[in-house]
mmCIF file of all heavy atoms in Angstrom:
data_model
loop_
_atom_site.group_PDB
_atom_site.id
_atom_site.type_symbol
_atom_site.label_atom_id
_atom_site.label_comp_id
_atom_site.label_asym_id
_atom_site.label_seq_id
_atom_site.Cartn_x
_atom_site.Cartn_y
_atom_site.Cartn_z
ATOM 1 N N VAL A 367 90.833 21.282 140.090
ATOM 2 C CA VAL A 367 89.703 22.114 139.623
ATOM 3 C C VAL A 367 88.503 21.868 140.522
ATOM 4 O O VAL A 367 88.462 20.919 141.310
ATOM 5 C CB VAL A 367 89.323 21.776 138.167
ATOM 6 C CG1 VAL A 367 90.445 22.116 137.197
ATOM 7 C CG2 VAL A 367 88.946 20.299 138.029
ATOM 8 N N ASP A 368 87.536 22.743 140.372
ATOM 9 C CA ASP A 368 86.267 22.612 141.125
ATOM 10 C C ASP A 368 85.452 21.540 140.512
ATOM 11 O O ASP A 368 85.063 21.619 139.340
ATOM 12 C CB ASP A 368 85.556 23.928 141.146
ATOM 13 C CG ASP A 368 84.299 23.919 141.988
ATOM 14 O OD1 ASP A 368 84.058 22.892 142.650
ATOM 15 O OD2 ASP A 368 83.535 24.914 141.947
ATOM 16 N N VAL A 369 85.181 20.487 141.290
ATOM 17 C CA VAL A 369 84.430 19.352 140.746
ATOM 18 C C VAL A 369 83.029 19.759 140.279
ATOM 19 O O VAL A 369 82.503 19.265 139.281
ATOM 20 C CB VAL A 369 84.331 18.239 141.777
ATOM 21 C CG1 VAL A 369 83.434 17.112 141.310
ATOM 22 C CG2 VAL A 369 85.707 17.759 142.184
ATOM 23 N N GLY A 370 82.456 20.735 140.934
ATOM 24 C CA GLY A 370 81.107 21.178 140.578
ATOM 25 C C GLY A 370 81.039 22.092 139.378
ATOM 26 O O GLY A 370 79.944 22.474 138.955
ATOM 27 N N ASN A 371 82.183 22.484 138.825
ATOM 28 C CA ASN A 371 82.245 23.430 137.720
ATOM 29 C C ASN A 371 83.135 22.915 136.594
ATOM 30 O O ASN A 371 83.857 23.720 135.976
ATOM 31 C CB ASN A 371 82.696 24.795 138.241
ATOM 32 C CG ASN A 371 82.342 25.912 137.285
ATOM 33 O OD1 ASN A 371 81.404 25.815 136.522
ATOM 34 N ND2 ASN A 371 83.086 27.029 137.361
ATOM 35 N N LEU A 372 83.123 21.636 136.341
ATOM 36 C CA LEU A 372 84.024 21.011 135.399
ATOM 37 C C LEU A 372 83.736 21.434 133.994
ATOM 38 O O LEU A 372 84.646 21.524 133.168
ATOM 39 C CB LEU A 372 83.975 19.507 135.520
ATOM 40 C CG LEU A 372 84.509 18.901 136.825
ATOM 41 C CD1 LEU A 372 84.299 17.394 136.837
ATOM 42 C CD2 LEU A 372 85.999 19.201 136.964
ATOM 43 N N ALA A 373 82.476 21.676 133.617
ATOM 44 C CA ALA A 373 82.113 21.951 132.257
ATOM 45 C C ALA A 373 82.792 23.257 131.746
ATOM 46 O O ALA A 373 82.992 23.408 130.536
ATOM 47 C CB ALA A 373 80.623 22.060 132.120
ATOM 48 N N TYR A 374 83.116 24.169 132.668
ATOM 49 C CA TYR A 374 83.712 25.441 132.279
ATOM 50 C C TYR A 374 85.180 25.541 132.590
ATOM 51 O O TYR A 374 85.758 26.633 132.572
ATOM 52 C CB TYR A 374 82.950 26.590 132.983
ATOM 53 C CG TYR A 374 81.477 26.590 132.635
ATOM 54 C CD1 TYR A 374 80.566 25.991 133.519
ATOM 55 C CD2 TYR A 374 81.014 27.152 131.473
ATOM 56 C CE1 TYR A 374 79.221 25.996 133.186
ATOM 57 C CE2 TYR A 374 79.655 27.149 131.153
ATOM 58 C CZ TYR A 374 78.749 26.580 132.037
ATOM 59 O OH TYR A 374 77.434 26.574 131.755
ATOM 60 N N SER A 375 85.772 24.394 132.899
ATOM 61 C CA SER A 375 87.205 24.361 133.217
ATOM 62 C C SER A 375 88.024 24.168 131.937
ATOM 63 O O SER A 375 87.527 23.760 130.886
ATOM 64 C CB SER A 375 87.493 23.197 134.187
ATOM 65 O OG SER A 375 86.726 23.337 135.348
ATOM 66 N N GLY A 376 89.279 24.548 132.048
ATOM 67 C CA GLY A 376 90.194 24.335 130.940
ATOM 68 C C GLY A 376 90.648 22.857 130.890
ATOM 69 O O GLY A 376 89.835 21.937 130.870
ATOM 70 N N HIS A 377 91.941 22.676 130.996
ATOM 71 C CA HIS A 377 92.497 21.340 131.015
ATOM 72 C C HIS A 377 92.264 20.709 132.371
ATOM 73 O O HIS A 377 92.420 21.367 133.416
ATOM 74 C CB HIS A 377 94.002 21.338 130.682
ATOM 75 C CG HIS A 377 94.265 21.580 129.213
ATOM 76 N ND1 HIS A 377 94.045 22.809 128.619
ATOM 77 C CD2 HIS A 377 94.704 20.743 128.241
ATOM 78 C CE1 HIS A 377 94.381 22.721 127.333
ATOM 79 N NE2 HIS A 377 94.762 21.471 127.077
ATOM 80 N N VAL A 378 91.867 19.448 132.356
ATOM 81 C CA VAL A 378 91.557 18.702 133.599
ATOM 82 C C VAL A 378 92.373 17.454 133.643
ATOM 83 O O VAL A 378 92.570 16.754 132.656
ATOM 84 C CB VAL A 378 90.060 18.366 133.653
ATOM 85 C CG1 VAL A 378 89.719 17.587 134.924
ATOM 86 C CG2 VAL A 378 89.189 19.629 133.558
ATOM 87 N N GLU A 379 92.848 17.142 134.857
ATOM 88 C CA GLU A 379 93.617 15.915 135.111
ATOM 89 C C GLU A 379 92.863 15.034 136.080
ATOM 90 O O GLU A 379 92.361 15.492 137.100
ATOM 91 C CB GLU A 379 95.023 16.206 135.636
ATOM 92 C CG GLU A 379 95.848 14.987 135.870
ATOM 93 C CD GLU A 379 97.242 15.303 136.369
ATOM 94 O OE1 GLU A 379 98.046 15.912 135.626
ATOM 95 O OE2 GLU A 379 97.528 14.965 137.556
ATOM 96 N N CYS A 380 92.812 13.739 135.777
ATOM 97 C CA CYS A 380 92.135 12.770 136.654
ATOM 98 C C CYS A 380 93.052 11.633 136.976
ATOM 99 O O CYS A 380 93.886 11.233 136.180
ATOM 100 C CB CYS A 380 90.865 12.246 135.977
ATOM 101 S SG CYS A 380 89.604 13.478 135.631
ATOM 102 N N LYS A 381 92.856 11.120 138.191
ATOM 103 C CA LYS A 381 93.551 9.882 138.596
ATOM 104 C C LYS A 381 92.547 8.780 138.679
ATOM 105 O O LYS A 381 91.374 9.000 139.045
ATOM 106 C CB LYS A 381 94.264 10.079 139.927
ATOM 107 C CG LYS A 381 95.346 11.130 139.935
ATOM 108 C CD LYS A 381 95.997 11.213 141.311
ATOM 109 C CE LYS A 381 97.163 12.193 141.344
ATOM 110 N NZ LYS A 381 96.662 13.611 141.062
ATOM 111 N N HIS A 382 92.956 7.528 138.355
ATOM 112 C CA HIS A 382 92.012 6.400 138.300
ATOM 113 C C HIS A 382 92.580 5.167 138.972
ATOM 114 O O HIS A 382 93.812 4.983 139.078
ATOM 115 C CB HIS A 382 91.702 6.070 136.819
ATOM 116 C CG HIS A 382 91.209 7.205 136.013
ATOM 117 N ND1 HIS A 382 89.895 7.603 135.926
ATOM 118 C CD2 HIS A 382 91.905 8.109 135.227
ATOM 119 C CE1 HIS A 382 89.767 8.631 135.145
ATOM 120 N NE2 HIS A 382 90.958 8.967 134.704
ATOM 121 N N LEU A 383 91.652 4.348 139.433
ATOM 122 C CA LEU A 383 92.056 3.047 139.967
ATOM 123 C C LEU A 383 90.906 2.053 139.630
ATOM 124 O O LEU A 383 89.725 2.337 139.854
ATOM 125 C CB LEU A 383 92.189 3.080 141.523
ATOM 126 C CG LEU A 383 92.474 1.736 142.170
ATOM 127 C CD1 LEU A 383 93.815 1.162 141.710
ATOM 128 C CD2 LEU A 383 92.404 1.867 143.681
#
Side-chain angles (χ1 to χ4, degrees):
V367 296
D368 183 7
V369 175
N371 198 25
L372 291 176
Y374 301 97
S375 302
H377 286 72
V378 179
E379 181 179 294
C380 298
K381 298 181 177 65
H382 305 274
L383 175 66

